[in-house]
Amino acid sequence: MTVIEAGGKARAWDLAGDVVDQFGKGNPLPDSLGNPKVWHFCQAKVEGKEPFTIPVGTTLGKWRDSIVRDGEPVPAAVVQEAILSPQSTPDKALVEEIRKWGGAFNWMGLVDFDPSAPSKPFEQAAPSVREFRIPAGMLLGGAEFFATVSLKRDAAAKGSSQTTAKGSVQAYASLSRPQDGLPLVPGKIVPIGEKDGKSWSAGIAPVGSDRPILVHSGSSAQALFDRSVAEFQMLFPAALCYRRIVPIDEVVTLTLHYREDGFLQRLMLDDKETAELDRLWDGMRFVSREPFLQLDAFQQLWQFATQDADPSAFEPMRDPVNQGVVAFKQRLISVEPVQLRAVVDFASQAWRRPLREAEEASLQSLYLAFRKEGLGHDVALRQLLARILASPDFLYRKETPGAGSRPTPLGDWEIASRLSYFLWSSAPDGKLIAEATAGRLQDPDNLAMEARRMLQVPKARRLATEFGAQWLHVRDIASLDEKSERHFPSFLGLREDMQEEVVLFFTDFFKNNRPVRSLLDADHSFMTPALAQHNGVTIPEGKGGWQRIDGLRQKGRGGVLGFSATLAKQSGASRTSPILRGNWVSEALLGEKLSKPPKNVPILPDEPPSGLTERQLIERHSQDPACAKCHAKIDPFGFALEGFDAIGRFRGGVDTKVTLPSGAKVDGLVGLRNFILESRLEEFSRQFCRKLLGYALGRSVQLSDKPLLDKMVAQTQDPSTGVWELVSLIVTSPQFRNIRGADF
């Protein structure tokens, strides 16, 4: 403490400087200016509280003694370290006393309220913030901050039976000053009542827990909050369902299906959707036979209760349960004719045509015969379904030829069946059945329009699978297990993706009406991240699952020649096979007919002998005069694809330059693709059209089909003509719409 005189001589007294050297001499003490009896020190007992003394043996006490009694000096830094990080037991006791809230050091004096008189609160107008500065060291001892908050009553409302107080307040404590004002946050409404003539309130809730909102009981503020909360709960219910209704430790329960979708219906569903939901619930309870199950559970619970409890609690449930069973039995009897009618109607769908009166009568008679034999309704229906599914009308696509030897038109239902199995490999849908029933499929324009509709729905994927994958000979690549796991350990994990790439590519081809030449020069395909990595293609980061990938021609791929599925399928178990690949290009893509290999052709080894490549091995084998003729046609195609290994991965450093029988020189897959596009496109298109036509007709293409086939090939020469035009030519052709006469 330093005291400076105002005015005059402006003398100064420094307490420490005056007494530090003579503190132990006793009172009174002179000052440094020569004035006697200036400083007086005293020690007295505080009423109700023992005076604080520095414990013996502490570093602070030793420091004090070194000053007062001229003891051994103790550096101030040592004292600071002892208080901040006490090590000895005396120092720890001293620090605990220093940090104690309300202890001898009276830290509570730092705040502006009297902790000894909590009944004298301070008033605060809302909204506002009041700060209390607490030494950080106080929190180390696990101290808690707690305050009591009450809402001041409106003076005009005192003594009245119905308060009109409008006030409300939400109080909470935080370790930091709010940055965005003082918004109201969700909390509990805590009405303030009267107790012993005094108002009472709730304490402040810490951050992260419920923050109470204080209102006066019966006030207009409480009514406003009640209305607001009720409106919020109507729009945002606490829960729409329960995860578990039946206790997990209970085996027998009367609550089989718990329904609570009132909120869902009221907030989200219209009348039609609500009716559908009710129908689904009713169907589930009907199929599960809930009343019967509930009766069984009730009887079990009754038996349990009679053994070691009072069963009277279950007695009120007996009549409702029994009545539910009786009503359900009556309902089962009432729906038997409806279910029988549904099974008979199903026969029309299964047989893909309307039933004749005799057939319908036969099915109903068969059901009655089953019942007379003592079979129950359910068993009789199952037997009737077996009869329908075992019928040749279901197992075969039966078509009725006309009399004579001349072709006759198919009926509408027969055309619908042909069209559906061509494009979907399945029975007609409701739209196609409706067209057949109305007799509109005899019109070629309507037939072509239906075909285009059917190519744009998800079921068209079956055309991609059954036609596209089979044409390329990769229909079974997903189950191919002939690859050497020692050489190609990643193949098993990729083979399904390889086949799916082909299916998705052809699905896109048919759905988006792409031209035939795009089968060769498409710049896109569909891949997963794993398959893309296998093919040396990059997928944007963060994208998973199947993605359309563009720019494949720059990667040396694109089109049917670049599928890893075709490259892997036309290879050996542990090495590539230029013979298989060349034969596939010749026969599958270009439609060339090759003679059968001669007998006793030597079998090539699974792996080339040391020092030979696959190409050198094949070239040595092809020198046999009996094999040379065919190999001269097919080997160059296969050698051009040698840039890919036996599971379709790109590999560098391989000779892919070849001279084709025509004298054309090509290099790799890109060169082979360009050669077909420029010199063999018509043959490629004819092969595709021949395969598609044969698939649609369900037979091999014959000489009589040549005019139709020529017309289809002519359409493919226009780059703007898509595959829909080819499908339209097929489905409107006499071959597709007619059947040969019975006497042909």
Side-chain angles (χ1 to χ4, degrees):
M1 181 181 71
T2 300
V3 178
I4 300 175
E5 183 179 11
K9 299 179 181 180
R11 292 173 296 176
W13 288 267
D14 177 38
L15 173 61
D18 285 356
V19 304
V20 68
D21 296 328
Q22 50 185 338
F23 190 76
K25 296 179 181 180
N27 290 323
L29 298 176
D31 62 10
S32 58
L33 300 179
N35 301 307
K37 301 181 180 181
V38 173
W39 300 109
H40 297 261
F41 294 90
C42 65
Q43 178 173 307
K45 184 177 181 180
V46 179
E47 185 66 26
K49 189 173 184 180
E50 293 294 329
F52 174 76
T53 57
I54 299 177
V56 178
T58 62
T59 304
L60 180 62
K62 294 176 182 179
W63 173 81
R64 181 176 179 274
D65 290 343
S66 69
I67 296 176
V68 175
R69 298 184 175 85
D70 296 327
E72 182 179 354
V74 178
V78 175
V79 180
Q80 181 184 31
E81 180 66 21
I83 294 177
L84 295 179
S85 302
Q87 301 296 324
S88 66
T89 300
D91 284 342
K92 291 179 180 179
L94 173 63
V95 172
E96 182 179 356
E97 182 64 27
I98 292 174
R99 293 175 174 174
K100 185 183 298 182
W101 184 264
F105 287 81
N106 192 21
W107 293 108
M108 297 182 76
L110 294 175
V111 297
D112 54 357
F113 64 90
D114 185 359
S116 64
S119 61
K120 299 178 181 179
F122 57 84
E123 292 187 1
Q124 192 87 358
S128 62
V129 176
R130 191 177 187 93
E131 292 188 357
F132 301 97
R133 297 186 178 275
I134 302 173
M138 297 302 97
L139 303 179
L140 299 179
E144 294 183 358
F145 178 82
F146 185 84
T148 300
V149 179
S150 61
L151 180 61
K152 187 176 181 180
R153 182 177 292 279
D154 188 353
K158 287 183 178 179
S160 65
S161 58
Q162 183 67 28
T163 178
T164 58
K166 299 180 179 179
S168 61
V169 67
Q170 182 179 56
Y172 57 91
S174 173
L175 296 178
S176 60
R177 173 180 282 273
Q179 299 297 321
D180 301 321
L182 298 171
L184 187 69
V185 296
K188 295 179 179 178
I189 309 301
V190 184
I192 299 177
E194 296 289 336
K195 186 176 182 181
D196 299 330
K198 299 179 180 180
S199 64
W200 55 272
S201 62
I204 296 179
V207 174
S209 65
D210 291 327
R211 300 175 178 180
I213 302 172
L214 307 183
V215 295
H216 288 287
S217 298
S219 65
S220 58
Q222 181 183 6
L224 174 61
F225 273 107
D226 289 344
R227 289 194 304 270
S228 300
V229 170
E231 181 180 355
F232 180 86
Q233 290 175 335
M234 288 287 290
L235 298 176
F236 301 97
L240 293 179
C241 63
Y242 292 99
R243 294 186 60 189
R244 189 181 301 280
I245 298 300
V246 180
I248 60 176
D249 58 344
E250 294 294 337
V251 178
V252 182
T253 175
L254 292 176
T255 306
L256 303 177
H257 300 123
Y258 188 87
R259 180 178 181 183
E260 189 187 66
D261 48 28
F263 290 124
L264 175 67
Q265 294 183 29
R266 180 171 52 81
L267 298 176
M268 303 180 67
L269 305 184
D270 56 26
D271 293 342
K272 182 179 179 181
E273 292 168 333
T274 299
E276 175 64 12
L277 183 61
D278 291 339
R279 187 191 67 79
L280 293 173
W281 271 103
D282 181 67
M284 184 188 71
R285 286 179 168 140
F286 183 87
V287 172
S288 65
R289 299 183 171 234
E290 182 184 35
F292 293 153
L293 298 176
Q294 194 173 48
L295 177 61
D296 292 341
F298 176 80
Q299 292 174 343
Q300 292 183 57
L301 290 173
W302 177 271
Q303 293 296 329
F304 293 153
T306 58
Q307 296 176 11
D308 55 5
D310 182 8
S312 60
F314 292 97
E315 191 59 37
M317 306 178 190
R318 182 182 298 278
D319 287 343
V321 170
N322 288 333
Q323 291 172 5
V325 171
V326 172
F328 188 71
K329 287 181 178 179
Q330 294 175 347
R331 185 181 180 189
L332 289 177
I333 296 174
S334 67
V335 298
E336 287 183 358
V338 179
Q339 294 175 341
L340 175 59
R341 181 71 260 173
V343 172
V344 174
D345 291 341
F346 169 74
S348 177
Q349 294 179 326
W351 295 350
R352 301 173 293 279
R353 59 174 176 78
L355 297 183
R356 293 184 287 271
E357 292 184 5
E359 292 173 328
E360 183 173 330
S362 175
L363 291 175
Q364 292 179 339
S365 298
L366 182 60
Y367 167 80
L368 294 177
F370 289 145
R371 295 304 302 270
K372 290 179 180 179
E373 292 177 2
L375 299 182
H377 171 70
D378 293 351
V379 178
L381 285 186
R382 285 196 288 271
Q383 294 284 65
L384 193 61
L385 283 170
R387 160 68 179 86
I388 294 171
L389 298 178
S391 169
D393 293 88
F394 173 74
L395 299 176
Y396 302 97
R397 285 166 47 194
K398 296 176 61 177
E399 296 173 346
T400 305
S405 59
R406 301 286 298 174
T408 55
L410 292 169
D412 285 87
W413 281 73
E414 292 171 331
I415 292 179
S417 184
R418 273 200 182 188
L419 184 62
S420 180
Y421 278 93
F422 167 33
L423 302 180
W424 289 348
S425 299
S426 182
D429 66 349
K431 176 69 166 54
L432 193 55
I433 289 176
E435 292 293 310
T437 304
R440 288 191 288 264
L441 295 184
Q442 297 294 343
D443 183 347
D445 291 337
N446 287 340
L447 190 58
M449 187 180 302
E450 273 300 294
R452 294 176 182 179
R453 174 188 73 85
M454 296 169 67
L455 285 172
Q456 299 177 70
V457 301
K459 284 185 179 181
R461 170 188 169 89
R462 298 171 184 172
L463 179 61
T465 302
E466 302 302 330
F467 167 72
Q470 287 197 69
W471 171 43
L472 298 185
H473 300 176
V474 293
R475 181 65 178 83
D476 60 345
I477 190 71
S479 59
L480 182 65
D481 57 1
E482 299 173 358
K483 295 294 180 182
S484 170
E485 293 188 32
R486 178 171 65 89
H487 292 84
F488 309 109
S490 64
F491 176 73
L492 290 180
L494 290 171
R495 57 184 181 175
E496 292 184 2
D497 287 357
M498 291 180 180
Q499 181 166 315
E500 183 67 10
E501 179 189 9
V502 178
V503 172
L504 293 178
F505 179 86
F506 273 98
T507 301
D508 172 80
F509 171 75
F510 286 113
K511 179 180 179 181
N512 294 296
N513 191 28
R514 303 197 185 279
V516 171
R517 67 175 294 134
S518 69
L519 295 172
L520 286 171
D521 66 354
D523 196 32
H524 71 278
S525 189
F526 302 86
M527 303 179 194
T528 60
L531 185 59
Q533 182 180 8
H534 173 83
N535 290 338
V537 179
T538 303
I539 282 185
E541 292 185 7
K543 289 190 175 183
W546 286 96
Q547 302 290 329
R548 175 188 165 119
I549 307 298
D550 295 296
L552 293 185
R553 289 199 292 266
Q554 294 181 353
K555 299 292 184 179
R557 290 186 184 269
V560 298
L561 288 172
F563 288 145
S564 55
T566 54
L567 293 166
K569 183 63 183 297
Q570 306 304 325
S571 295
S574 56
R575 63 171 176 82
T576 62
S577 177
I579 297 176
L580 291 178
R581 289 178 176 176
N583 186 73
W584 174 76
V585 172
S586 297
E587 292 193 339
L589 299 188
L590 300 179
E592 294 182 345
K593 288 294 183 180
L594 300 176
S595 58
K596 294 183 179 181
K599 296 181 179 180
N600 302 320
V601 174
I603 299 176
L604 297 178
D606 291 338
E607 297 186 25
S610 177
L612 292 180
T613 64
E614 286 92 345
R615 178 168 182 168
Q616 292 170 338
L617 176 65
I618 301 302
E619 288 175 340
R620 177 179 296 182
H621 168 78
S622 302
Q623 293 175 1
D624 187 335
C627 305
K629 185 176 181 180
C630 288
H631 281 283
K633 294 181 179 180
I634 63 177
D635 288 357
F637 293 141
F639 292 148
L641 299 176
E642 277 293 276
F644 300 90
D645 68 8
I647 59 173
R649 291 178 302 194
F650 177 79
R651 58 179 181 178
V654 180
D655 183 12
T656 59
K657 295 180 179 180
V658 296
T659 301
L660 300 178
S662 63
K665 297 182 181 296
V666 302
D667 185 4
L669 183 149
V670 176
L672 178 59
R673 177 178 60 217
N674 292 338
F675 168 75
I676 297 176
L677 287 171
E678 295 169 3
S679 304
R680 307 286 297 271
L681 180 59
E682 182 177 353
E683 293 156 277
F684 175 82
S685 300
R686 181 172 293 275
Q687 173 68 352
F688 172 80
C689 293
R690 180 189 296 113
K691 291 294 182 179
L692 185 64
L693 177 59
Y695 179 81
L697 299 178
R699 59 170 174 79
S700 60
V701 176
Q702 301 176 4
L703 182 62
S704 59
D705 300 319
K706 187 176 184 302
L708 173 60
L709 189 58
D710 291 341
K711 191 174 182 180
M712 293 174 62
V713 174
Q715 290 288 343
T716 64
Q717 302 310 300
D718 183 357
S720 64
T721 300
V723 69
W724 289 359
E725 183 62 31
L726 304 181
V727 173
S728 297
L729 287 174
I730 291 174
V731 301
T732 59
S733 68
Q735 289 93 323
F736 190 85
R737 299 169 57 212
N738 295 333
I739 185 173
R740 288 170 172 166
D743 298 332
F744 178 80

